[in-house]
Amino acid sequence: MSAPLLTLDGVSRIYRRGLFDRTPAFQLHVDKTFSRPEIVGVLGPNGAGKTTLFEMIAGSNAPSKGRVMVAGQDIQRVRYLQRDRLAIHYHQSYQVRHFTKTKPAFVMEQAARSYPLVHLFDEPQFNTQDGYIGFMLDFFRKLRAEGRLVFVCLHPTAAYQLRILQEICERFLFVKGGSVTEHADFAGLAGQADVRQYLGALAP
Amino acid sequence: MALFEARDLHLRFVDRVVLENVSLAFEAGQLSGIMGPNGAGKTTCFNVLTGRYKPDRGQVLWDGQDITGRSPQAIARLGIARSFQLMNLFDEFTVFENIAIALPQTRARARNIMAQAYADPALVDEAHAILRRVGLESRADDPAKSLPYGARRALEIGVALACRPKLLFLDEPTAGLGSDGRARLADLILKLKGSITIVIIEHDMEFLFSLADQISVIHWGQVIAKGTPAALKANPWVEASNLGRLN
């Protein structure tokens, strides 16, 4: 009946070295569907493309190929100021990238919703001193219980951050070397050789 | 019915959502807290409640009456006073004069207001009563600029009380205070509690936990948790942070 919450339909983002040197400097390929509300953990080294992935889902960064569909709407065809009614990117502090907006609003679609369906938390500040972590985790759970899809992206630097992901996430994405691999649970994620190498001393 | 209520507030600054579906209710006579990390949207939320910003959607209700979009002056006239994170006092005036000038009788006069203020016994009594409430009676004749930081905070609360508010909003009252100053401020607020409806914005959890009847936690421009201090404290991560069990 209804369209999946989120479909990344053959999505690629490629940055080339320059106008004449067309060798890719960065690339990311992803093809996945998220049909049910859940909390998804996103891990990967710096520069692997975690934020680029979030930007494409939120519609601020257009894919080089493929389509991002949120609840059946192609996010690139929705009016710029209404895209966060479908998918909202909670930026990492000081890391908001602005992209050119070229189309006038009247040629584009309206968002079919008034409250975001996909919530993308980009490296939320989990500070163990102030005690807000618990409320943040409860909020992620509340969003999921309300039928939303929640992504939490983290580049863990301490063991407790892994514990947080293990506690709340039902599925994991590992972004590295231009591709996104999926793991059904934390044990599956932590069992992978490349993930263990990435986690280093933090690997459980 | 709550004395002051916000329903589904939504506010956007150009392409950024700063408040998303914020609903809050402050009961008469209670002390309510709004807490959240830096940059969570607490002050923005306050600015909508007190009329500095107009929300894109949603309602602000005072005693059941819709006051959304009214000017800060109009909202203040309803009996809603606020303090600011950065203090505004008349430095060259005495402590007494700072209070006297904020009293409604003074503000109703057109000119030579200070001379008339000293000549009006009812006004002098009221100003002294307020100074007693905020613990500054002994400093009444000192210039405001001579006060230490914590006492300036108390004076600012006194100035807000001089407007005879029904509801007092305090924005980060502990900002810039050390632990002694915080303790004194907590004593002062505890004394006021019950006699007036108070709403405090604060990022210091301990401070609010010790004072508030109800707390709303704001982050990412949304209410992420609500409850009594006891209920919020029971969160395992809050307990762990206080005991320093992590790391």
Side-chain angles (χ1 to χ4, degrees):
Chain A
M1 36 151 266
S2 59
L5 291 173
L6 173 68
T7 305
L8 300 161
D9 177 14
V11 168
S12 295
R13 187 71 179 101
I14 299 167
Y15 291 115
R16 303 197 183 271
R17 288 193 192 279
L19 211 51
F20 301 107
D21 179 2
R22 302 304 284 165
T23 353
F26 166 91
Q27 49 185 319
L28 182 71
H29 306 280
V30 52
D31 189 77
K32 287 204 184 309
T33 297
F34 300 85
S35 309
R36 58 189 168 90
E38 57 185 335
I39 303 176
V40 182
V42 182
L43 292 90
N46 291 322
K50 302 187 295 291
T51 295
T52 301
L53 175 66
F54 278 14
E55 286 168 346
M56 288 197 293
I57 296 172
S60 64
N61 195 343
S64 313
K65 260 190 284 179
R67 289 185 310 167
V68 174
M69 308 290 291
V70 182
Q73 279 191 290
D74 181 343
I75 196 104
Q76 287 302 321
R77 299 179 61 168
V78 174
R79 297 180 181 189
Y80 298 109
L81 287 181
Q82 292 183 14
R83 289 180 186 174
D84 60 27
R85 299 300 85 199
L86 296 172
I88 187 164
H89 188 172
Y90 302 91
H91 291 88
Q92 199 177 340
S93 21
Y94 313 115
Q95 215 211 7
V96 184
R97 296 199 289 181
H98 290 279
F99 298 89
T100 12
K101 293 167 182 166
T102 47
K103 287 188 202 159
F106 70 88
V107 301
M108 298 165 91
E109 292 171 22
Q110 309 243 25
R113 298 175 162 269
S114 62
Y115 189 76
L117 196 61
V118 182
H119 294 253
L120 303 147
F121 294 92
D122 200 339
E123 308 231 356
Q125 297 257 308
F126 292 126
N127 181 341
T128 56
Q129 301 304 307
D130 63 16
Y132 285 111
I133 296 175
F135 304 135
M136 291 156 78
L137 303 188
D138 284 348
F139 182 58
F140 299 156
R141 293 187 185 102
K142 175 179 160 261
L143 289 172
R144 188 207 35 211
E146 289 171 357
R148 303 173 207 287
L149 182 59
V150 179
F151 288 86
V152 181
C153 146
L154 214 55
H155 174 55
T157 52
Y160 77 87
Q161 293 173 329
L162 272 185
R163 291 216 313 269
I164 289 174
L165 292 178
Q166 188 174 2
E167 184 183 320
I168 55 161
C169 298
E170 301 148 278
R171 192 162 24 157
F172 293 88
L173 300 179
F174 183 58
V175 186
K176 200 190 168 194
S179 64
V180 179
T181 47
E182 186 186 318
H183 301 281
D185 54 34
F186 188 78
L189 173 82
Q192 292 294 312
D194 56 348
V195 177
R196 298 194 70 82
Q197 192 197 359
Y198 156 70
L199 292 174
L202 295 178
Chain B
M1 185 178 59
L3 179 65
F4 194 95
E5 208 182 328
R7 284 189 196 154
D8 288 333
L9 294 180
H10 186 91
L11 180 68
R12 168 190 283 285
F13 289 156
V14 196
D15 57 353
R16 292 266 244 151
V17 177
V18 288
L19 294 179
E20 178 90 69
N21 273 30
V22 171
S23 294
L24 300 160
F26 309 127
E27 301 293 331
Q30 283 205 339
L31 196 155
S32 306
I34 296 178
M35 70 184 190
N38 289 324
K42 303 185 296 290
T43 297
T44 305
C45 180
F46 235 38
N47 283 336
V48 172
L49 300 181
T50 56
R52 304 204 125 213
Y53 301 145
K54 192 176 183 307
D56 297 322
R57 276 206 310 270
Q59 281 183 308
V60 181
L61 302 170
W62 170 250
D63 223 351
Q65 182 192 359
D66 190 341
I67 58 164
T68 320
R70 290 208 195 165
S71 69
Q73 303 88 299
I75 288 179
R77 276 197 296 271
L78 293 170
I80 302 170
R82 69 169 284 183
S83 78
F84 292 84
Q85 209 165 337
L86 297 169
M87 292 187 280
N88 296 299
L89 292 170
F90 294 114
D91 273 344
E92 303 300 320
F93 287 20
T94 67
V95 169
F96 169 83
E97 286 162 346
N98 268 281
I99 299 285
I101 220 163
L103 287 169
Q105 309 92 296
T106 312
R107 287 184 288 136
R109 294 192 174 103
R111 50 196 177 85
N112 200 12
I113 50 176
M114 281 334 295
Q116 292 188 34
Y118 279 111
D120 179 346
L123 191 150
V124 171
D125 284 353
E126 187 174 349
H128 280 288
I130 289 166
L131 288 175
R132 264 196 302 283
R133 278 176 93 183
V134 298
L136 287 175
E137 215 192 358
S138 62
R139 315 275 318 234
D141 298 324
D142 297 349
K145 65 180 173 196
S146 72
L147 293 183
Y149 199 80
R152 286 177 67 86
R153 237 344 140 199
L155 178 55
E156 208 203 9
I157 293 173
V159 169
L161 291 175
C163 307
R164 297 184 198 148
K166 296 183 187 114
L167 176 77
L168 177 63
F169 275 121
L170 302 174
D171 189 357
E172 297 249 1
T174 68
L177 292 180
S179 52
D180 285 0
R182 263 162 220 250
R184 268 192 297 256
L185 183 68
D187 281 347
L188 164 61
I189 293 171
L190 267 180
K191 270 188 241 148
L192 296 177
K193 190 176 165 178
S195 66
I196 179 172
T197 309
I198 303 175
V199 181
I200 303 181
I201 286 193
E202 192 50 69
H203 76 261
D204 181 337
M205 271 193 192
E206 283 302 324
F207 186 79
L208 270 191
F209 280 159
S210 68
L211 292 170
D213 298 303
Q214 281 292 331
I215 296 175
S216 299
V217 184
I218 291 192
H219 197 8
W220 300 299
Q222 304 173 61
V223 178
I224 64 166
K226 257 182 195 186
T228 61
L232 295 178
K233 257 194 247 181
N235 187 301
W237 286 93
V238 175
E239 283 189 338
S241 75
N242 291 340
L243 301 172
R245 268 191 242 123
L246 289 159
N247 288 336

